[in-house]
Each structure stands twice: as structure tokens, then as C-alpha cells.
Amino acid sequence: MFRHDKSKKLFLMRFIPEIPLWATCDSKDFRKKRCFNMLQKFLPLMGIDPDSLGTSPDSLISFENFQLNVTKEKQVEKNSNIPKYVCAKFGAAGLGALTDHGTKKIHGWEENDYKITQNHGRGAMLYAFRNFMMKNVGVPLKELDTSGPHKITFSVFSATRSRAKGFEHQIEEVKNRFSSDEVEVGVYQMHELSAKEQIRIASESAIYITSVGGGSFTASFLPFGSSVFLYYDDVGGLNKSKPSNKPARLDWDIFNNDSHFRVHWLPMGMRSSKERMDSQKKFGFIS
């Protein structure tokens, strides 16, 4: 586990409320299956053997059954079998600081999401977390190769629905403007690759282009001094779950505080128009 003292043995507990939280692994059977598959793929990033999950999504519920409920003082006094405290020499509870947007807002759909930040000042920690995960899956930590050819990676169809983009125009434009001696263009559907291969590709990229959403997280493994171009839905925002036609810069909080690479936000409305391609020159994407 990240920054955990390995000399202390962990007893891991996961509290499951009687009414499951929305969109969690326990809320629906199909989500439980998806969580199981995702954990098997990505647990190695945390240094955990995926075989420890067992062979069924039902094993996500618990490794050991026990009750942990909030109990009123008077109920404890009446029933001596109810424990008053959960005791441990060392303990930690909660979500932890390293979350994409914390508990006070959501991903970036709503205007209020941009009024507070969750990860300010955590750039060094996020970079250390990146290195921790890379070591766990055996991807070497290397500095950005500035000698060339510079690797430009396109992560295509990394999102769903309106954010599922293939970047055909950008790929064509880059290949036309730069020789193979200057630029090496890579085009990938990351979900088809192993976690280790995704990380290796990102860690060797000078520029990474992707749509916002969960699939963009691979950009976190970019090397120090690189750049990511995040295309967002410029009219996809929400207001109390209803369309607001405002920008939806998803996961802006964590990306803007990832201090080891530069972040460029580009609206998809501009991306979809080939005639406006030249306007990207000001971002340094095309010279």
C-alpha cells in the first residue's frame, strides 16, 4: 500500500451500508462484476496480488463477515454482548486525501465543482504515487527523452457516448506536418492493453492526447516535463443533473494539480471542425 509501513500487518475492512451508496460496487450486480474485473486488472498497481480477490465477484463483499454498526450508549448498557469500541493499536479510516475530487463535489459536471479544490499542494504526492505504482508493475522510471523522435500518443475512444473520439483529423495533421525523424505517432485503444503496457506507453510519451473521463487517467504516468491535451465537452455541463450547456472539464482538480506535466484543455467543439485546426497553433500543439 502507498506509504504504508510494511512492518505493520493490516486488517482491511470495508463498510457496506444497508442501502448501498450510488454507483459503488455493491449498488448493482452488474457493477459488482465490473468492479471485480477492474480490480483484477489494476490491483497490481497497489502491489496487491489480484488472485487474493478469489474467483467470483461475490468475494468483493467481504473476506470475513462481521457487524460494525453505530450503537447508542443506552443500548450498549442494556446488552453486554455489544462491543462499545473497535480497538486497534494503529488504525485509519476514511477515503484518504488522494482522491480525484474529494467528497464535497463531483467530477466537474457542475459549476459548483470549480469553486473549491481538493488536491492543491499535492503535486509532489501525486508524482510519488505515480512512481510507486510504476515500480509495483515493473515499469522503469525514466526521464523524458528530449533527443527525438518525440513520441506523441493518441488515446482514441477512451470515453463513451459523445466523448468517444478517434482524433482522425489531429493524427492526419501531425503526420503531415512532421517527419518520422521528428515525431513518432502512436495510436492506441488503451482498454485493449494491459495496465503495464498502458503505463509503459504513457511513461515514454512527450505529448498525450485524450478525451476527458476515466480513461484519461493513464496520462498520470507521463514523464516529468511532458504535456497532456484533454478534450472536453464544451456544452456537456449539468446543473442539478439537468443539462446546463456549460463546459464539463472532468477531473480538472487532479489534472491541474499533477505538477509533473503540463495540462492543456481543449473544447471538443473546436476539435470536431477541421477548418479550425490552425487555431491550435497557439497552444503549441502544432507549429
Side-chain angles (χ1 to χ4, degrees):
M1 303 294 278
F2 181 54
R3 292 188 173 177
H4 168 247
D5 183 352
K6 293 184 179 179
S7 66
K8 296 180 174 65
K9 187 177 180 180
L10 289 177
F11 176 61
L12 299 175
M13 296 185 293
R14 187 166 69 90
F15 178 68
I16 304 173
E18 187 175 346
I19 301 176
L21 296 175
W22 178 80
T24 60
C25 295
D26 310 296
S27 59
K28 301 285 184 181
D29 286 338
F30 78 89
R31 287 201 178 100
K32 189 187 299 182
K33 185 175 181 180
R34 286 180 181 177
C35 285
F36 182 77
N37 294 336
M38 291 288 283
L39 286 170
Q40 282 193 315
K41 186 172 184 177
F42 293 108
L43 269 182
L45 296 175
M46 301 302 293
I48 299 173
D49 183 356
D51 290 339
S52 64
L53 286 179
T55 58
S56 166
D58 291 329
S59 62
L60 289 176
I61 294 176
S62 179
F63 295 106
E64 183 175 339
N65 294 320
F66 60 92
Q67 289 283 358
L68 183 62
N69 299 314
V70 178
T71 308
K72 293 181 179 178
E73 189 75 21
K74 290 183 179 179
Q75 290 178 300
V76 175
E77 292 173 359
K78 291 180 180 179
N79 189 342
S80 59
N81 293 324
I82 298 177
K84 188 174 182 180
Y85 303 107
V86 176
C87 300
K89 188 175 181 180
F90 304 98
L95 289 173
L98 267 182
T99 60
D100 52 357
H101 50 72
T103 59
K104 301 295 183 183
K105 54 180 181 169
I106 53 178
H107 299 277
W109 295 106
E110 308 254 355
E111 279 189 90
N112 287 338
D113 295 341
Y114 302 92
K115 293 181 179 179
I116 58 174
T117 59
Q118 162 72 11
N119 292 295
H120 51 280
R122 294 197 175 113
M125 183 184 291
L126 291 168
Y127 188 56
F129 187 49
R130 167 213 186 249
N131 295 342
F132 164 80
M133 291 188 286
M134 289 179 65
K135 288 178 181 177
N136 284 335
V137 294
V139 177
L141 303 178
K142 298 187 294 186
E143 293 184 0
L144 177 64
D145 184 1
T146 58
S147 62
H150 307 292
K151 293 185 178 181
I152 298 180
T153 297
F154 288 88
S155 175
V156 298
F157 303 110
S158 62
T160 57
R161 299 177 184 174
S162 63
R163 291 180 281 117
K165 304 300 180 184
F167 300 114
E168 294 87 355
H169 299 324
Q170 281 81 356
I171 294 168
E172 179 186 357
E173 200 72 23
V174 170
K175 289 182 176 179
N176 288 339
R177 289 176 180 260
F178 298 99
S179 69
S180 58
D181 293 332
E182 297 174 289
V183 165
E184 179 183 324
V185 178
V187 181
Y188 305 95
Q189 284 191 259
M190 290 297 181
H191 67 86
E192 296 179 348
L193 306 175
S194 67
K196 182 176 182 178
E197 185 64 8
Q198 292 181 47
I199 293 169
R200 183 196 64 77
I201 291 168
S203 70
E204 296 175 354
S205 300
I207 294 176
Y208 191 92
I209 297 95
T210 184
S211 300
V212 297
S216 65
F217 179 73
T218 309
S220 300
F221 297 97
L222 285 167
F224 194 93
S226 58
S227 292
V228 60
F229 288 78
L230 295 165
Y231 281 88
Y232 64 92
D233 189 340
D234 36 335
V235 293
L238 302 173
N239 181 18
K240 296 180 180 179
S241 300
K242 295 182 179 180
S244 66
N245 293 323
K246 297 290 181 67
R249 300 179 185 89
L250 304 185
D251 302 316
W252 70 274
D253 192 307
I254 196 165
F255 276 113
N256 281 8
N257 289 292
D258 259 318
S259 57
H260 62 282
F261 53 75
R262 297 179 181 87
V263 182
H264 307 269
W265 297 91
L266 299 175
M268 287 183 177
M270 179 181 69
R271 191 211 67 79
S272 62
S273 176
K274 189 173 183 180
E275 291 76 19
R276 298 174 65 182
M277 184 71 66
D278 287 341
S279 66
Q280 295 188 26
K281 291 180 181 178
K282 66 180 179 180
F283 294 105
F285 179 37
I286 296 175
S287 60

